[in-house]
Amino acid sequence: MGEPLANYRNVIAAIRRMNTELGIGARRITVSTVGVVPSIRKLAEEDLQVGLAVSLHCASEEERDALLPANKRYGGIDELLTAVREYTDKTKRRVTFEWALIEGQNDDPSVARRLGRLLKRHGL
């Protein structure tokens, strides 16, 4: 389907329809993103109680740039995590971080420790 938050208007319309027409509770809907920072900030302003999941996959800027070209486009990992923190502060909702383990690339315990330090630094 592609990046949901790159198609923001239609995704929000679909969420509202699922909620009102199909009776699916907003809290049972999660929007997953690679980190479209402006749309994360817009989503925080919506009157929706949907979940947010961020496909992080990397704990360093260089690794994330190589794996996800959108990282640079939207300001990098620090800007993304700042937007996520703003989202949690505004909505009072938790965010899920997604991580695809890639053997030999991001599956080492030292990477997990770097991730922990990164999230802690951003208060997440």
Side-chain angles (χ1 to χ4, degrees), residues 22-60:
L22 299 177
I24 298 172
R27 291 181 183 185
R28 297 195 180 273
I29 300 170
T30 299
V31 177
S32 179
T33 180
V34 296
V36 181
V37 170
S39 294
I40 292 171
R41 289 185 168 127
K42 280 174 62 175
L43 185 62
E45 299 300 322
E46 295 284 346
D47 187 26
L48 291 170
Q49 293 184 334
V50 297
L52 177 65
V54 176
S55 300
L56 203 52
H57 306 306
C58 301
S60 78

Short mmCIF file of all heavy atoms in Angstrom, two decimals, residues 22-60:
data_model
loop_
_atom_site.label_atom_id
_atom_site.label_comp_id
_atom_site.label_asym_id
_atom_site.label_seq_id
_atom_site.Cartn_x
_atom_site.Cartn_y
_atom_site.Cartn_z
N LEU A 22 -18.23 1.45 9.85
CA LEU A 22 -18.02 0.04 10.15
C LEU A 22 -18.00 -0.24 11.65
O LEU A 22 -17.98 -1.39 12.07
CB LEU A 22 -16.71 -0.45 9.52
CG LEU A 22 -16.63 -0.36 8.00
CD1 LEU A 22 -15.26 -0.82 7.52
CD2 LEU A 22 -17.74 -1.18 7.35
N GLY A 23 -17.96 0.81 12.44
CA GLY A 23 -18.00 0.64 13.89
C GLY A 23 -16.70 0.13 14.49
O GLY A 23 -16.69 -0.39 15.61
N ILE A 24 -15.59 0.28 13.77
CA ILE A 24 -14.30 -0.13 14.32
C ILE A 24 -13.80 0.99 15.22
O ILE A 24 -13.64 2.13 14.77
CB ILE A 24 -13.28 -0.41 13.19
CG1 ILE A 24 -13.79 -1.56 12.31
CG2 ILE A 24 -11.91 -0.74 13.77
CD1 ILE A 24 -12.97 -1.79 11.07
N GLY A 25 -13.55 0.67 16.46
CA GLY A 25 -13.08 1.67 17.41
C GLY A 25 -11.73 2.23 16.98
O GLY A 25 -10.84 1.48 16.56
N ALA A 26 -11.58 3.53 17.09
CA ALA A 26 -10.33 4.18 16.67
C ALA A 26 -9.13 3.61 17.42
O ALA A 26 -8.04 3.50 16.86
CB ALA A 26 -10.42 5.70 16.87
N ARG A 27 -9.32 3.22 18.66
CA ARG A 27 -8.21 2.67 19.44
C ARG A 27 -7.75 1.31 18.92
O ARG A 27 -6.70 0.82 19.30
CB ARG A 27 -8.60 2.56 20.91
CG ARG A 27 -8.73 3.92 21.56
CD ARG A 27 -9.09 3.79 23.00
NE ARG A 27 -9.29 5.11 23.58
CZ ARG A 27 -9.52 5.32 24.85
NH1 ARG A 27 -9.56 4.30 25.69
NH2 ARG A 27 -9.69 6.54 25.29
N ARG A 28 -8.55 0.71 18.06
CA ARG A 28 -8.18 -0.57 17.45
C ARG A 28 -7.49 -0.38 16.09
O ARG A 28 -7.17 -1.35 15.42
CB ARG A 28 -9.40 -1.46 17.29
CG ARG A 28 -10.02 -1.82 18.62
CD ARG A 28 -10.98 -2.98 18.47
NE ARG A 28 -11.58 -3.33 19.74
CZ ARG A 28 -11.05 -4.17 20.62
NH1 ARG A 28 -9.89 -4.71 20.38
NH2 ARG A 28 -11.68 -4.45 21.73
N ILE A 29 -7.29 0.86 15.71
CA ILE A 29 -6.64 1.18 14.43
C ILE A 29 -5.26 1.76 14.71
O ILE A 29 -5.13 2.65 15.55
CB ILE A 29 -7.49 2.20 13.62
CG1 ILE A 29 -8.88 1.61 13.33
CG2 ILE A 29 -6.77 2.60 12.34
CD1 ILE A 29 -9.86 2.62 12.76
N THR A 30 -4.26 1.26 14.01
CA THR A 30 -2.90 1.77 14.15
C THR A 30 -2.39 2.19 12.79
O THR A 30 -2.51 1.44 11.82
CB THR A 30 -1.96 0.70 14.75
OG1 THR A 30 -2.44 0.35 16.05
CG2 THR A 30 -0.54 1.20 14.86
N VAL A 31 -1.83 3.37 12.73
CA VAL A 31 -1.21 3.87 11.51
C VAL A 31 0.29 3.67 11.64
O VAL A 31 0.90 4.12 12.61
CB VAL A 31 -1.53 5.37 11.30
CG1 VAL A 31 -0.83 5.90 10.06
CG2 VAL A 31 -3.03 5.59 11.20
N SER A 32 0.88 3.00 10.66
CA SER A 32 2.32 2.73 10.67
C SER A 32 3.00 3.64 9.66
O SER A 32 2.51 3.83 8.55
CB SER A 32 2.56 1.26 10.30
OG SER A 32 3.95 1.00 10.28
N THR A 33 4.15 4.17 10.05
CA THR A 33 4.87 5.10 9.18
C THR A 33 6.37 4.90 9.28
O THR A 33 6.87 4.47 10.33
CB THR A 33 4.53 6.57 9.54
OG1 THR A 33 5.25 7.45 8.67
CG2 THR A 33 4.84 6.90 10.99
N VAL A 34 7.09 5.25 8.22
CA VAL A 34 8.56 5.26 8.29
C VAL A 34 9.04 6.56 8.92
O VAL A 34 10.21 6.68 9.26
CB VAL A 34 9.24 5.07 6.92
CG1 VAL A 34 8.94 3.71 6.34
CG2 VAL A 34 8.91 6.19 5.96
N GLY A 35 8.14 7.51 9.05
CA GLY A 35 8.52 8.76 9.72
C GLY A 35 8.29 10.01 8.91
O GLY A 35 9.18 10.84 8.76
N VAL A 36 7.09 10.18 8.39
CA VAL A 36 6.73 11.41 7.67
C VAL A 36 6.41 12.46 8.74
O VAL A 36 5.27 12.59 9.19
CB VAL A 36 5.56 11.17 6.70
CG1 VAL A 36 5.23 12.45 5.94
CG2 VAL A 36 5.90 10.04 5.73
N VAL A 37 7.44 13.17 9.15
CA VAL A 37 7.37 14.06 10.31
C VAL A 37 6.22 15.07 10.23
O VAL A 37 5.46 15.21 11.20
CB VAL A 37 8.73 14.75 10.54
CG1 VAL A 37 8.63 15.85 11.58
CG2 VAL A 37 9.77 13.71 10.96
N PRO A 38 6.03 15.79 9.12
CA PRO A 38 4.92 16.76 9.09
C PRO A 38 3.56 16.09 9.32
O PRO A 38 2.69 16.66 9.99
CB PRO A 38 5.00 17.37 7.69
CG PRO A 38 6.40 17.13 7.24
CD PRO A 38 6.82 15.84 7.88
N SER A 39 3.38 14.90 8.80
CA SER A 39 2.10 14.20 8.97
C SER A 39 1.93 13.65 10.38
O SER A 39 0.81 13.57 10.88
CB SER A 39 1.98 13.08 7.94
OG SER A 39 1.91 13.64 6.64
N ILE A 40 3.02 13.27 11.04
CA ILE A 40 2.93 12.86 12.44
C ILE A 40 2.44 14.04 13.27
O ILE A 40 1.57 13.89 14.14
CB ILE A 40 4.29 12.34 12.97
CG1 ILE A 40 4.65 11.02 12.28
CG2 ILE A 40 4.26 12.18 14.49
CD1 ILE A 40 6.06 10.54 12.57
N ARG A 41 2.96 15.21 12.99
CA ARG A 41 2.53 16.41 13.72
C ARG A 41 1.07 16.74 13.43
O ARG A 41 0.33 17.14 14.34
CB ARG A 41 3.47 17.56 13.39
CG ARG A 41 4.84 17.35 14.01
CD ARG A 41 5.77 18.53 13.81
NE ARG A 41 6.93 18.35 14.67
CZ ARG A 41 8.19 18.40 14.25
NH1 ARG A 41 8.47 18.66 12.99
NH2 ARG A 41 9.19 18.22 15.11
N LYS A 42 0.62 16.56 12.18
CA LYS A 42 -0.78 16.79 11.85
C LYS A 42 -1.68 15.77 12.55
O LYS A 42 -2.75 16.12 13.06
CB LYS A 42 -0.99 16.70 10.33
CG LYS A 42 -0.59 17.95 9.59
CD LYS A 42 -0.66 17.79 8.08
CE LYS A 42 -2.04 17.49 7.55
NZ LYS A 42 -2.06 17.47 6.06
N LEU A 43 -1.23 14.52 12.56
CA LEU A 43 -2.02 13.46 13.21
C LEU A 43 -2.24 13.75 14.69
O LEU A 43 -3.31 13.48 15.23
CB LEU A 43 -1.33 12.11 13.02
CG LEU A 43 -2.08 10.88 13.52
CD1 LEU A 43 -3.41 10.71 12.78
CD2 LEU A 43 -1.22 9.63 13.34
N ALA A 44 -1.25 14.34 15.32
CA ALA A 44 -1.38 14.69 16.74
C ALA A 44 -2.49 15.70 16.97
O ALA A 44 -3.07 15.75 18.06
CB ALA A 44 -0.05 15.23 17.27
N GLU A 45 -2.80 16.50 15.95
CA GLU A 45 -3.84 17.53 16.07
C GLU A 45 -5.23 17.02 15.74
O GLU A 45 -6.22 17.71 15.98
CB GLU A 45 -3.50 18.72 15.16
CG GLU A 45 -2.17 19.40 15.49
CD GLU A 45 -2.11 19.96 16.90
OE1 GLU A 45 -3.14 20.49 17.38
OE2 GLU A 45 -1.04 19.86 17.52
N GLU A 46 -5.32 15.82 15.17
CA GLU A 46 -6.62 15.25 14.81
C GLU A 46 -7.37 14.81 16.06
O GLU A 46 -6.75 14.43 17.05
CB GLU A 46 -6.44 14.04 13.88
CG GLU A 46 -5.84 14.34 12.54
CD GLU A 46 -6.80 15.00 11.56
OE1 GLU A 46 -8.03 15.00 11.82
OE2 GLU A 46 -6.30 15.50 10.54
N ASP A 47 -8.67 14.81 15.98
CA ASP A 47 -9.49 14.32 17.08
C ASP A 47 -9.74 12.82 16.86
O ASP A 47 -10.86 12.39 16.66
CB ASP A 47 -10.81 15.10 17.13
CG ASP A 47 -11.64 14.73 18.35
OD1 ASP A 47 -11.05 14.30 19.36
OD2 ASP A 47 -12.87 14.87 18.27
N LEU A 48 -8.64 12.06 16.86
CA LEU A 48 -8.71 10.61 16.65
C LEU A 48 -7.87 9.93 17.72
O LEU A 48 -6.80 10.42 18.07
CB LEU A 48 -8.14 10.24 15.27
CG LEU A 48 -8.93 10.66 14.04
CD1 LEU A 48 -8.10 10.42 12.79
CD2 LEU A 48 -10.23 9.89 13.97
N GLN A 49 -8.32 8.80 18.17
CA GLN A 49 -7.57 8.06 19.18
C GLN A 49 -6.91 6.83 18.56
O GLN A 49 -6.87 5.77 19.17
CB GLN A 49 -8.48 7.67 20.34
CG GLN A 49 -8.96 8.86 21.12
CD GLN A 49 -9.79 8.45 22.32
OE1 GLN A 49 -10.39 7.39 22.35
NE2 GLN A 49 -9.80 9.30 23.33
N VAL A 50 -6.36 6.99 17.36
CA VAL A 50 -5.69 5.87 16.70
C VAL A 50 -4.29 5.68 17.28
O VAL A 50 -3.71 6.60 17.87
CB VAL A 50 -5.58 6.10 15.18
CG1 VAL A 50 -6.96 6.16 14.54
CG2 VAL A 50 -4.79 7.34 14.84
N GLY A 51 -3.77 4.48 17.08
CA GLY A 51 -2.40 4.21 17.48
C GLY A 51 -1.44 4.68 16.40
O GLY A 51 -1.81 4.83 15.23
N LEU A 52 -0.21 4.89 16.79
CA LEU A 52 0.85 5.26 15.86
C LEU A 52 2.00 4.28 16.04
O LEU A 52 2.42 4.01 17.17
CB LEU A 52 1.33 6.69 16.12
CG LEU A 52 2.49 7.18 15.25
CD1 LEU A 52 2.08 7.27 13.79
CD2 LEU A 52 3.00 8.53 15.75
N ALA A 53 2.47 3.74 14.93
CA ALA A 53 3.64 2.85 14.93
C ALA A 53 4.68 3.46 14.00
O ALA A 53 4.36 3.88 12.89
CB ALA A 53 3.25 1.45 14.47
N VAL A 54 5.92 3.50 14.46
CA VAL A 54 7.01 4.08 13.67
C VAL A 54 7.99 2.97 13.34
O VAL A 54 8.51 2.29 14.22
CB VAL A 54 7.72 5.22 14.44
CG1 VAL A 54 8.90 5.74 13.65
CG2 VAL A 54 6.74 6.33 14.74
N SER A 55 8.22 2.77 12.04
CA SER A 55 9.19 1.78 11.58
C SER A 55 10.58 2.39 11.71
O SER A 55 11.03 3.13 10.85
CB SER A 55 8.90 1.41 10.11
OG SER A 55 7.62 0.86 9.99
N LEU A 56 11.23 2.09 12.79
CA LEU A 56 12.53 2.71 13.09
C LEU A 56 13.67 1.93 12.45
O LEU A 56 14.46 2.48 11.70
CB LEU A 56 12.70 2.78 14.61
CG LEU A 56 13.66 3.81 15.16
CD1 LEU A 56 13.41 5.20 14.63
CD2 LEU A 56 13.61 3.80 16.68
N HIS A 57 13.80 0.66 12.75
CA HIS A 57 14.74 -0.28 12.14
C HIS A 57 16.22 -0.01 12.35
O HIS A 57 17.03 -0.89 12.13
CB HIS A 57 14.50 -0.44 10.63
CG HIS A 57 13.11 -0.80 10.27
ND1 HIS A 57 12.45 -1.88 10.81
CD2 HIS A 57 12.21 -0.20 9.44
CE1 HIS A 57 11.23 -1.95 10.31
NE2 HIS A 57 11.06 -0.94 9.49
N CYS A 58 16.60 1.19 12.72
CA CYS A 58 18.01 1.54 12.91
C CYS A 58 18.15 2.50 14.08
O CYS A 58 17.25 3.29 14.34
CB CYS A 58 18.58 2.20 11.65
SG CYS A 58 18.48 1.18 10.19
N ALA A 59 19.31 2.43 14.74
CA ALA A 59 19.55 3.29 15.90
C ALA A 59 20.53 4.41 15.60
O ALA A 59 20.84 5.20 16.47
CB ALA A 59 20.05 2.46 17.07
N SER A 60 21.01 4.48 14.35
CA SER A 60 21.93 5.56 14.00
C SER A 60 21.48 6.23 12.71
O SER A 60 20.82 5.60 11.86
CB SER A 60 23.37 5.05 13.84
OG SER A 60 23.53 4.41 12.60
#
